[in-house]
Amino acid sequence: FLQSKDPLQSISSHKSSSPAITSLLHQNLRLRRRKKSNFDPTTKFIKELHSDLEMVYVGQLCLSWEILHWQYEKAMEIWETDPYSLRRFNEVACEFQQFQVLIQRFIENELFEGPRVQNYVKNRCVLRNLLQVPVIREDSVKDKRKGRRKRIDDDDDDDGITSDMLVEIMEESIRIFWRFIRADKDANVVIKNSRKGTQIEPLEPADLELLTKVQTSLQKKDKKLKDILRSGNCILRKLKKNEEENSNQVLCFFSQVDLKLVARVMNMSKVTKDQLLWCHNKLSKINFVHRKINVEPSFLLFPC
């Protein structure tokens, strides 16, 4: 169907589905310029599919952050229970490095690749691991036993990835993921005077009330967080050092990510009631008391 709408493309010339998706999105732009009737089934189909692709992208973004945050907490627990750095994580360290490289390349090439959603879909069809967070696990039993036989002061210790190094790799992964989110122009908090551009399904008074409540809460908490950022220069640093002094900075950073993600959801062309509730629950976990941030632990999966 998509190929029939673009006679310059032929099905046999494509080795993957990504060019077809690209053709779809270009066709969407052309159809908009022609200003066809809203009742045109082709226009309606492409518009709905574009909205679905956006939801897939945003859903993956939110899911990846939840898993990445959870895996970071797991790495911290491993580090705290491994004082002699006997455990090894070489294999998963390589996977996280690949995770970083794919995101970095995406950011670097994005200027030449068009809109974020279109670019994501095209890359995701080819790079199946894009935004896929690896699962932390130890190396094989053989390597584990070898590590346990070594003493902390052994001069012959190998260059294996220890739990301390794993935490540093996780922190770098978080920093790169944060840059990926910040590079999304639709992840900014936008003050909207009307509902133009955002559709709620189903369209009910209670849903519109929830929409207004979430938008107001997002704007207020984003303003408070920015005030703290200006006064404290709160950025992501070495998270595991000086825990008491940096605890507010850590919460500050993670709150930045959560607010960006909520903003990205709110800026989608179509938002469901379940997704609004997800945003509401996210925001309810972030509170400010005397310029201190209080974040309740949570693991919220984005409803697609």
Side-chain angles (χ1 to χ4, degrees), residues 53-95:
L53 292 174
E54 182 183 32
M55 183 181 65
V56 169
Y57 159 71
V58 174
Q60 180 66 67
L61 194 65
C62 295
L63 175 63
S64 295
W65 169 243
E66 293 293 335
I67 301 298
L68 186 60
H69 191 179
W70 170 54
Q71 291 287 277
Y72 172 71
E73 296 293 340
K74 183 177 179 180
M76 289 293 293
E77 292 176 2
I78 293 174
W79 172 70
E80 292 172 354
T81 57
D82 186 29
Y84 299 108
S85 299
L86 300 179
R87 305 168 75 173
R88 294 292 181 271
F89 303 88
N90 296 290
E91 185 175 354
V92 72
C94 292
E95 295 176 2

Side-chain angles (χ1 to χ4, degrees), residues 63-303:
L63 175 63
S64 295
W65 169 243
E66 293 293 335
I67 301 298
L68 186 60
H69 191 179
W70 170 54
Q71 291 287 277
Y72 172 71
E73 296 293 340
K74 183 177 179 180
M76 289 293 293
E77 292 176 2
I78 293 174
W79 172 70
E80 292 172 354
T81 57
D82 186 29
Y84 299 108
S85 299
L86 300 179
R87 305 168 75 173
R88 294 292 181 271
F89 303 88
N90 296 290
E91 185 175 354
V92 72
C94 292
E95 295 176 2
F96 269 106
Q97 288 171 350
Q98 182 186 36
F99 172 79
Q100 297 172 13
V101 168
L102 292 180
I103 295 179
Q104 283 180 316
R105 288 178 179 173
F106 185 98
I107 298 173
E108 293 170 357
N109 297 332
E110 186 168 23
L111 182 63
F112 312 100
E113 297 295 337
R116 169 61 67 95
V117 174
Q118 173 183 336
N119 190 20
Y120 167 77
V121 171
K122 181 176 65 175
N123 280 276
R124 185 66 173 79
C125 289
V126 178
L127 304 173
R128 307 299 296 178
N129 291 332
L130 180 62
L131 295 185
Q132 296 289 313
V133 182
V135 178
I136 292 179
R137 61 192 182 281
E138 289 186 67
D139 289 341
S140 64
V141 176
K142 180 179 179 180
D143 292 336
K144 187 191 304 184
R145 290 174 179 173
K146 180 180 179 181
R148 287 175 178 171
R149 290 196 299 267
K150 292 182 177 293
R151 296 181 179 274
I152 191 173
D153 59 347
D154 190 349
D155 294 335
D156 295 327
D157 195 10
D158 57 16
D159 295 328
I161 303 299
T162 62
S163 55
D164 185 70
M165 297 167 66
L166 178 64
V167 171
E168 294 180 355
I169 292 174
M170 291 297 302
E171 290 176 357
E172 180 62 18
S173 298
I174 290 175
R175 280 188 284 265
I176 293 174
F177 191 81
W178 169 236
R179 289 198 291 270
F180 181 85
I181 296 176
R182 291 182 62 184
D184 188 340
K185 298 178 181 179
D186 291 322
N188 297 319
V189 177
V190 179
I191 299 177
K192 297 182 179 180
N193 297 323
S194 65
R195 294 187 54 257
K196 184 178 180 180
T198 302
Q199 299 180 7
I200 305 299
E201 294 187 347
L203 188 61
E204 297 179 359
D207 300 333
L208 296 179
E209 182 179 351
L210 178 60
L211 171 65
T212 302
K213 185 176 181 179
V214 171
Q215 287 178 334
T216 302
S217 178
L218 175 60
Q219 292 166 10
K220 288 182 177 179
K221 295 188 176 184
D222 180 67
K223 184 178 183 300
K224 290 182 179 180
L225 184 58
K226 286 180 178 178
D227 290 340
I228 296 177
L229 289 171
R230 293 192 192 99
S231 61
N233 192 26
C234 177
I235 59 176
L236 178 62
R237 297 174 178 170
K238 292 293 183 181
L239 304 183
K240 67 176 183 297
K241 307 297 183 182
N242 303 322
E243 292 184 8
E244 293 185 1
E245 297 180 4
N246 290 341
S247 60
N248 198 55
Q249 289 188 348
V250 174
L251 293 177
C252 175
F253 171 76
F254 288 137
S255 297
Q256 276 185 280
V257 179
D258 286 336
L259 291 181
K260 279 282 189 180
L261 291 177
V262 171
R264 186 60 186 88
V265 174
M266 297 300 295
N267 289 332
M268 288 198 304
S269 59
K270 183 167 58 179
V271 183
T272 67
K273 182 178 181 180
D274 287 341
Q275 291 163 357
L276 277 180
L277 289 173
W278 181 89
C279 293
H280 179 267
N281 291 334
K282 267 289 183 186
L283 294 174
S284 67
K285 304 297 181 182
I286 305 173
N287 296 286
F288 300 86
V289 181
H290 303 300
R291 300 189 66 81
K292 294 290 184 179
I293 304 176
N294 179 36
V295 181
E296 299 178 26
S298 64
F299 187 85
L300 302 175
L301 296 180
F302 184 76

